[in-house]
Amino acid sequence: MPTTATDRLEKLLETPAETRAGFLDLLGTADQAGPSTGITQRLMRTTLLPRVYERYWRPALGRALKGPAGPSMAGEVRLATKLLDLRPGRTALDVACGTGRFTRAFGQAVGPAGLAIGLDGARTMLTKAVAEGGPDSVAYLRADAVRVPLRESTVDAVCCFAALHMFAEPETALDSFTRVLKPGGRIVLLTSARRGRQPARLLESVGGIVSGQKMFDRGEIAASLRARGFTEITERYAGVTQIVAARLG
């Protein structure tokens, strides 16, 4: 019998997982992975948001944060796929995948011989992601996004869009992403980017505190990746966001 994408994902895990509602689950009955960092993250775990997330919530919020010059959500998907250099047969990890918009696109890019893994801590998001369908190369995992439970050097690409700034331990997450990447693998991140001048810097910092999101300085993520051995680092800024891509040397 041919192996499924879920079968192949299971072989990459450090510990066995249960199958629930079409995805592998390492969190069991826990409502969430780790403590909530604020109102934005709590909303992600509701039953209502997944219904409107992909079509309304994420595009509208992204536009507000990126400004008119930033890419659309569809543009983000295309850019991430390009920056990760996804090709048939490769394995891509989409961290904090939500309802799977990026994961499905990655599944198309890696083809039947590849594997696109959508990882999220919210049961409601993954239930919606499974319901959306997608290529046979897609598999979903409910697990801690900060401490990715995959074996070392198992994926060719890591994507984490619109989530790193909501993690309680972003540096630990970057360590985890680096650990699961193969040498030469690529990473792309979309996260916050605080401007350097007042009063914009102060306003953006206050906004981050209220929403429970960390406001990274421009250049901070690139420096963190460089310290972990990444090269070929590129940075794109739009509004209060940054898209940072790099290759693990």
Side-chain angles (χ1 to χ4, degrees), residues 143-223:
D144 186 350
V146 173
R147 294 170 178 82
V148 177
L150 300 181
R151 291 188 281 107
E152 186 175 349
S153 302
T154 49
V155 303
D156 300 289
V158 173
C159 175
C160 182
F161 264 39
L164 188 67
H165 47 275
M166 292 192 289
F167 294 164
E169 301 172 83
E171 291 294 325
T172 300
L174 291 178
D175 286 338
S176 182
F177 300 166
T178 305
R179 183 185 66 82
V180 301
L181 267 176
K182 297 175 184 177
R186 296 183 180 273
I187 189 170
V188 62
L189 309 161
L190 184 153
T191 189
S192 60
R194 179 171 49 189
R195 283 168 282 201
R197 295 184 178 181
Q198 302 290 10
R201 181 180 176 85
L202 177 60
L203 291 173
E204 290 158 8
S205 298
V206 171
I209 292 170
V210 171
S211 63
Q213 301 179 69
K214 178 177 175 58
M215 294 302 294
F216 295 105
D217 287 326
R218 296 189 174 205
E220 183 177 352
I221 297 300

Side-chain angles (χ1 to χ4, degrees), residues 53-54 94 97-105 125 128-129 133 140:
Y53 179 80
E54 197 169 302
D94 182 16
C97 67
T99 56
R101 174 76 179 275
F102 285 73
T103 316
R104 296 192 299 273
M125 286 288 187
K128 177 64 172 174
Y140 291 103

